[in-house]
Amino acid sequence: MKTIEPNLGDLIALRRQAARRASDAATEMQEGAATGGVRTTLRLEALAVLAGALIAYDRTGSGWGLFALLFLLPDLSMLGYLAGPRIGARVYNVAHSYLVPLGIGALGLLVALPFALPLALIWAAHIAFDRALGFGLKYEAGFGFTHLGRVGRQDPW
């Protein structure tokens, strides 16, 4: 039986081809990301939402201990990445979309659930805080690819 030995030149060519494909995918994801003044505006809007959520939360009379306890809870959605980038992005995006806290807050107001509005405001504050820092909704290419641009060392912010 003949053994096949890898040719170093072929291995290097395959590595370069894989790197080129990854780079092309990253470039494609970044084409859908906000840049420049639009990105800055989105992040400033997030700061405004954060301020509004904090003020509204203070007016609910709920304790700040509860706020501190629940503030990072939506980040547990990052565990979805253990199942891969596609599922991870979807789980993360559900937990980091304003739709869920808005629904909870509206339900709380309509049905008079006293815990719902503070919960919704904490959740919205978390999302706004993340967006202000540049952590946007995720693309399936990986955690670092967001609608607000690339997160990581390449990020100028």
Side-chain angles (χ1 to χ4, degrees):
M1 180 183 270
K2 183 179 176 183
T3 60
I4 300 173
E5 296 204 20
N7 177 332
L8 184 59
D10 290 342
L11 290 175
I12 291 172
L14 285 173
R15 174 73 176 118
R16 285 184 180 151
Q17 186 180 26
R20 204 173 311 114
R21 270 189 257 129
S23 176
D24 291 346
T27 300
E28 187 176 314
M29 285 296 119
Q30 289 310 104
E31 288 174 358
T35 60
V38 171
R39 182 174 191 227
T40 302
T41 300
L42 290 171
R43 292 177 75 174
L44 290 173
E45 282 180 347
L47 282 175
V49 171
L50 176 60
L54 292 173
I55 291 167
Y57 182 81
D58 186 54
R59 302 246 170 120
T60 67
S62 299
W64 288 100
L66 177 68
F67 187 93
L69 183 68
L70 298 178
F71 184 71
L72 294 177
L73 192 63
D75 281 341
L76 288 177
S77 65
M78 286 187 279
L79 293 174
Y81 279 94
L82 294 174
R86 184 176 182 192
I87 291 173
R90 289 179 180 179
V91 171
Y92 183 93
N93 289 345
V94 167
H96 287 81
S97 167
Y98 288 116
L99 294 174
V100 178
L102 279 172
I104 291 171
L107 181 67
L109 291 173
L110 291 172
V111 186
L113 297 172
F115 65 88
L117 185 59
L119 176 65
L121 290 168
I122 294 168
W123 199 336
H126 172 87
I127 295 168
F129 182 74
D130 275 4
R131 300 254 178 102
L133 292 177
F135 294 98
L137 297 172
K138 309 300 182 200
Y139 290 107
E140 293 177 0
F143 185 81
F145 298 95
T146 80
H147 82 286
L148 294 175
R150 180 89 168 96
V151 175
R153 283 182 282 151
Q154 299 85 355
D155 187 6
W157 279 67

